[in-house]
Amino acid sequence: MIHKFITVLIVVLSGTIYAQNSLEGTLSETGTNAPLFGVDVYFPQLEKGAMSDEKGMFRITNLPTGSYKIIASYIGFKTYSTTVNIAKGNNTLTISLAPSAIEMEEVIVSTPFHKLQRENVMKVERADIADLRSKGAVTLADGITNVPGVETVSTGIGIGKPVIRGLSANRVLVYTQGVRLENQQFGDEHGLGVSDAGIESVEVIKGPSSLLYGSDALGGVLYLNPEKFALEGQTESDVNLNYFSNTDGLGANAGIKASGDRMRYLIRGSIASHADYQTGKNNEQTPQKVTNSRFREYDLKTGIGYQGTNIKTELRYNYNNLLLGLPEEIGEQTTERTPLSPYQQINNHILSSKTSLFFEKSSVDATLGYTFNTRKEFEENEDGAALDMNLSTLSYNLLYHLPKGANWETILGIQGMHQNNRNFGEETLIPDATTNDFGILGTSHLHFSNNSDLQIGVRFDHRSIDSQMMGTLSEEGYMAALNQNFNSFNAAIGYKWEFLQKLTGRLNLASGFRAPNLAELRSNGVHEGTNRYEIGNANLINEKNIQADLALEYKNRHLEWYVNGFYNGVSDYIFLDPNGETIDNSPVFLYQQQNAKLYGGEIGVHIHPHPLDWLHLESSFETVTGKLEDGDFLPLIPANSLTNTLRTEFLHGSDKIRSSYAFLTLKSIFDQNKTSAFETSTEGYNLLSIGLGAQLSLFDQEVNLRLSGNNLLNEYYIAHLSRLKSDGIANIGRNINIGLSVPL
């Protein structure tokens, strides 16, 4: 009986896996019907695609039956998007692309329905890592500050953590390789721990995203998309070199990837090394190197995948090693690269598995992740690491895409996490503890015939925290045992509508939550670097928020503008407050809760006048205000800023110069006088940047060359979100970046 069942199962699976369904078609320009060569045709959900040949023809094989979105993108043309029904056997599709000066659109991965930005109900910011590099970004944390509504809390240039509309740390969730990145992000001096090498793009959800991601997404999500595998039958490799003048910084990465009929793989390694950075100059200050701001980073990313007709699966691994100096003063002026005490040694291991099964009318996505973070901090005159923490996290995410209706899609899912924190050093910031998460969600997208869309969803989450007793009763460092549970219901609703095919409006209302972290619940001691004696509060409850977003966007062939506004009401916001006492000459701070609110937004305009389609004029303004219920301002709120950019882009017919670009940017940061009781105001400043680059053909070899300069006027300034501000240490001065990329 069992033998017969296995035989039947093998026959069924064989028929499913080896069914040879395909899609072939042609691509041409609207109006002229001229064939288009080199157009990317791609199924986002299937992660399969092809490139059109000289006759504009393409062919994609091994496709499952069912209904799937397909996009076609090409520089200088409006991105094409439609849903096709793949039947058994051969299928055909004819695509016509309309010329457009607007940049190509990409599918938004951080939201669940694989939509282009213009089709998305939720406004999501997206930036290519290549574009951030062209602007001279030293690190990934530095680069994301070019995304509207995003800033970074920095400790020099080696340590930075994202701030989304005034919220940071455990209120912003980071995803990489499709799994949540857990690396002790509660700490001010704890950075991202991810290299930009092997990252293709970054997406930012600004606002509560607990519906999709659970706890800690109260402020938003930073979603890092890893580089794609090569298209079927292709092999790609490249070498990339970077030099930064200010830090004598050197960076290099190289990768190779290949895909066969079913198997595919990739591997990329990188290294970066920086000496101490140098500040700017004004009438009173001369440039000086900030002692011990040096850092070094090694990174390895690799992946292997299998793609059949009805199944695709991949396994990715990322190892990141950081050696970070912790700057405290301007002392010895040197070009040494080995960090002095105090310094951090951080290792991140990220292992992720993603599998999709495609049925005739539905599909299942299963993602598993394991991250292991080791953080060691070494202090002067200490044998071994004073602080030594290990954090291991196992996460899972199972999503079931129900059969699609005529105009609606629904996803049901379960998500969870099992996490262990362990201490091995003399210092203890948080106790040994185990955290478990479980969440269940449902969300639907409805498309109406009047070019409008509705998205709704609900979710329930449960978090349990079980910590051990640490230290000795009545002494510094004592932490009582803790066993607490946190529950939360959340919902989101969004509506998108289009007027005259040019004006798009989006209105979103969403709730979110964040369970208190271990530091807030159980701290008991001096927090190094802040000179505060912090005492946790075991009676803290969930932070909860409701945010309303209104976004308006107008777009035609030569003009774009947008207005994004938000109001974020946070109940039981957790913050530190002094009680007037001192312990060991350090002021005592207690964790308290009070309602808070944040509001603001972004506005921008982009002009590319006819007939000068190569010319782009861009301007954007960002503002956010955060207040407690008693009227005090929240800490670490970014100052208002205005950014103006003049940019050119050319496609050349020359055999030597394929394309080129140039830009001139002036970013004006205004005075920040809306400060918390424990901050000082910050003067405004202006930063001038330029850049240019070209895609060249030298000796039959393609070469991408870029040159950029940041803070060209070498202005002496201190950013409001710099953790070195309290020490009077300025940010980085003039920095020239030279980059070279060579596809092999």
Side-chain angles (χ1 to χ4, degrees):
M1 184 68 179
I2 295 176
H3 174 73
K4 291 182 179 180
F5 173 77
I6 294 175
T7 302
V8 172
L9 182 62
I10 291 174
V11 171
V12 171
L13 288 177
S14 298
T16 301
I17 293 174
Y18 295 105
Q20 294 297 312
N21 308 321
S22 64
L23 175 69
E24 60 185 25
T26 58
L27 284 139
S28 61
E29 181 179 353
T30 301
T32 66
N33 291 325
L36 294 175
F37 168 64
V39 179
D40 283 321
V41 185
Y42 195 69
F43 285 96
Q45 187 178 2
L46 306 178
E47 295 185 355
K48 288 182 69 72
M51 186 174 293
S52 61
D53 61 19
E54 292 85 352
K55 297 180 180 179
M57 301 181 65
F58 70 92
R59 179 178 173 83
I60 306 174
T61 59
N62 296 329
L63 296 173
T65 57
S67 179
Y68 304 99
K69 178 176 288 295
I70 189 172
I71 64 171
S73 57
Y74 192 53
I75 296 177
F77 291 83
K78 182 178 180 180
T79 300
Y80 174 89
S81 172
T82 192
T83 299
V84 297
N85 293 312
I86 303 298
K88 292 182 179 180
N90 294 324
N91 300 264
T92 59
L93 178 66
T94 300
I95 299 175
S96 177
L97 297 185
S100 173
I102 299 171
E103 284 82 357
M104 293 188 304
E105 290 186 273
E106 299 287 347
V107 169
I108 300 300
V109 180
S110 56
T111 54
F113 294 104
H114 304 288
K115 305 289 184 183
L116 292 175
Q117 180 64 277
R118 67 172 182 262
E119 302 167 331
N120 236 25
V121 172
M122 183 186 301
K123 176 71 173 179
V124 178
E125 300 289 350
R126 184 187 183 280
D128 288 326
I129 295 298
D131 291 339
L132 302 184
R133 289 196 192 106
S134 71
K135 297 175 182 177
V138 179
T139 63
L140 179 59
D142 179 32
I144 62 175
T145 61
N146 292 288
V147 178
V150 182
E151 292 294 337
T152 182
V153 176
S154 65
T155 306
I157 58 173
I159 301 175
K161 59 191 323 103
V163 180
I164 299 179
R165 286 178 168 174
L167 296 176
S168 60
N170 276 104
R171 298 180 179 98
V172 171
L173 191 59
V174 178
Y175 256 62
T176 182
Q177 296 179 191
V179 301
R180 58 188 294 154
L181 177 62
E182 293 288 322
N183 64 348
Q184 308 284 9
Q185 60 265 33
F186 69 90
D188 291 341
E189 71 282 9
H190 299 176
L192 278 175
V194 179
S195 167
D196 65 357
I199 302 292
E200 184 173 282
S201 63
V202 55
E203 297 174 12
V204 181
I205 302 177
K206 296 181 289 188
S209 307
S210 294
L211 171 67
L212 301 176
Y213 297 101
S215 180
D216 303 349
L218 176 141
V221 174
L222 184 71
Y223 198 99
L224 307 175
N225 291 312
E227 66 176 305
K228 296 185 181 75
F229 289 97
L231 294 176
E232 183 178 314
Q234 295 188 11
T235 299
E236 303 173 19
S237 59
D238 59 85
V239 175
N240 305 276
L241 303 174
N242 262 308
Y243 172 73
F244 298 91
S245 65
N246 188 286
T247 61
D248 284 331
L250 300 172
N253 76 78
I256 183 172
K257 54 186 178 180
S259 294
D261 182 34
R262 298 184 183 275
M263 299 300 298
R264 49 190 186 171
Y265 75 91
L266 60 81
I267 186 170
R268 181 171 301 277
S270 70
I271 181 174
S273 175
H274 294 262
D276 294 340
Y277 79 83
Q278 184 170 269
T279 65
K281 177 182 180 181
N282 62 14
N283 294 331
E284 299 177 359
Q285 303 287 343
T286 58
Q288 292 179 299
K289 291 183 179 294
V290 178
T291 305
N292 208 30
S293 59
R294 62 201 74 166
F295 68 96
R296 184 209 67 203
E297 180 179 40
Y298 298 121
D299 190 84
L300 173 69
K301 293 183 176 74
T302 185
I304 186 171
Y306 170 83
Q307 191 146 26
T309 301
N310 289 76
I311 183 174
K312 68 179 178 69
T313 185
E314 65 179 47
L315 182 69
R316 292 181 184 254
Y317 171 69
N318 178 204
Y319 170 69
N320 184 270
N321 175 279
L322 275 167
L323 195 63
L324 294 159
L326 298 176
E328 297 178 323
E329 62 179 0
I330 294 179
E332 181 183 2
Q333 303 291 288
T334 177
T335 58
E336 289 293 324
R337 296 174 183 268
T338 301
L340 306 170
S341 298
Y343 68 92
Q344 294 179 348
Q345 183 177 326
I346 304 167
N347 291 289
N348 277 322
H349 301 266
I350 306 170
L351 182 66
S352 63
S353 168
K354 182 179 178 181
T355 300
S356 296
L357 297 172
F358 302 99
F359 310 107
E360 188 169 347
K361 295 183 179 180
S362 62
S363 63
V364 173
D365 296 327
T367 304
L368 298 175
Y370 178 74
T371 62
F372 186 72
N373 170 262
T374 64
R375 180 176 301 276
K376 297 181 180 181
E377 294 188 8
F378 298 84
E379 299 177 0
E380 195 172 359
N381 301 321
E382 292 281 351
D383 294 328
L387 182 70
D388 188 350
M389 296 188 292
N390 288 355
L391 184 71
S392 60
T393 306
L394 176 66
S395 60
Y396 58 89
N397 183 7
L398 183 66
L399 299 177
Y400 175 53
H401 299 252
L402 275 67
K404 296 179 182 178
N407 61 351
W408 60 272
E409 303 172 64
T410 296
I411 295 175
L412 301 177
I414 58 172
Q415 297 173 348
M417 176 183 79
H418 176 76
Q419 185 175 88
N420 284 301
N421 182 77
R422 295 293 180 265
N423 290 276
F424 300 96
E426 294 181 3
E427 295 182 8
T428 303
L429 290 181
I430 59 176
D432 293 352
T434 298
T435 302
N436 286 292
D437 279 1
F438 176 78
I440 183 169
L441 68 99
T443 182
S444 293
H445 182 108
L446 295 86
H447 178 72
F448 302 108
S449 58
N450 61 347
N451 286 327
S452 65
D453 296 80
L454 177 71
Q455 187 169 318
I456 57 176
V458 294
R459 177 181 178 125
F460 170 76
D461 280 277
H462 172 78
R463 168 171 285 190
S464 65
I465 301 178
D466 186 5
S467 73
Q468 300 179 20
M469 183 188 72
M470 307 287 289
T472 303
L473 186 64
S474 301
E475 292 185 4
E476 178 182 345
Y478 173 74
M479 303 176 187
L482 177 75
N483 191 329
Q484 286 188 232
N485 297 312
F486 302 91
N487 300 313
S488 182
F489 282 97
N490 288 283
I493 182 169
Y495 184 66
K496 178 184 77 74
W497 65 99
E498 295 182 6
F499 304 95
L500 305 175
Q501 298 182 343
K502 303 232 186 280
L503 182 64
T504 301
R506 294 179 174 89
L507 179 61
N508 284 272
L509 185 66
S511 67
F513 86 104
R514 180 182 75 90
N517 62 47
L518 286 168
E520 295 162 339
L521 293 167
R522 275 291 176 254
S523 289
N524 185 22
V526 177
H527 192 291
E528 301 298 333
T530 63
N531 297 319
R532 295 192 301 247
Y533 193 105
E534 299 180 2
I535 299 178
N537 183 352
N539 296 317
L540 297 176
I541 62 175
N542 283 338
E543 287 184 342
K544 303 170 289 293
N545 74 327
I546 297 178
Q547 178 168 308
D549 285 87
L550 177 62
L552 295 175
E553 180 179 299
Y554 176 85
K555 183 179 295 187
N556 66 22
R557 188 171 179 180
H558 300 289
L559 171 67
E560 301 173 63
W561 59 259
Y562 65 85
V563 179
N564 303 327
F566 76 95
Y567 182 89
N568 187 1
V570 185
S571 300
D572 301 309
Y573 183 91
I574 300 173
F575 64 99
L576 279 167
D577 193 40
N579 66 356
E581 300 177 2
T582 61
I583 297 179
D584 296 334
N585 297 320
S586 297
V588 176
F589 280 69
L590 306 178
Y591 280 98
Q592 308 281 8
Q593 288 191 294
Q594 188 181 137
N595 294 341
K597 59 184 177 182
L598 298 99
Y599 52 90
E602 307 87 34
I603 60 175
V605 63
H606 178 188
I607 303 171
H608 30 88
H610 181 75
L612 307 178
D613 291 340
W614 49 267
L615 178 64
H616 299 261
L617 305 171
E618 301 170 349
S619 183
S620 64
F621 175 75
E622 304 172 23
T623 180
V624 58
T625 299
K627 285 185 175 182
L628 288 169
E629 192 174 44
D630 63 10
D632 288 344
F633 289 104
L634 296 179
L636 297 177
I637 299 297
N640 295 344
S641 65
L642 174 66
T643 304
N644 294 290
T645 299
L646 173 66
R647 180 165 56 91
T648 64
E649 291 180 338
F650 293 97
L651 292 175
H652 301 271
S654 168
D655 292 336
K656 297 297 184 182
I657 305 178
R658 308 287 177 82
S659 63
S660 64
Y661 70 87
F663 68 84
L664 173 68
T665 297
L666 177 64
K667 185 169 184 177
S668 301
I669 291 85
F670 298 95
D671 294 348
Q672 178 56 296
N673 299 314
K674 299 176 180 179
T675 58
S676 74
F678 316 108
E679 292 179 311
T680 57
S681 59
T682 305
E683 293 183 358
Y685 50 92
N686 297 286
L687 300 177
L688 180 67
S689 303
I690 65 169
L692 54 90
Q695 183 182 17
L696 310 173
S697 179
L698 300 177
F699 307 105
D700 296 325
Q701 172 63 57
E702 181 180 318
V703 175
N704 293 289
L705 182 65
R706 64 182 183 273
L707 173 67
S708 65
N710 289 321
N711 192 5
L712 275 182
L713 302 181
N714 207 26
E715 178 153 352
Y716 183 93
Y717 73 98
I718 300 178
H720 186 68
L721 299 188
S722 170
R723 293 187 65 253
L724 302 181
K725 178 188 171 188
S726 59
D727 297 316
I729 298 177
N731 289 70
I732 189 170
R734 182 187 298 118
N735 190 23
I736 306 300
N737 169 230
I738 301 174
L740 179 68
S741 298
V742 182
L744 302 177

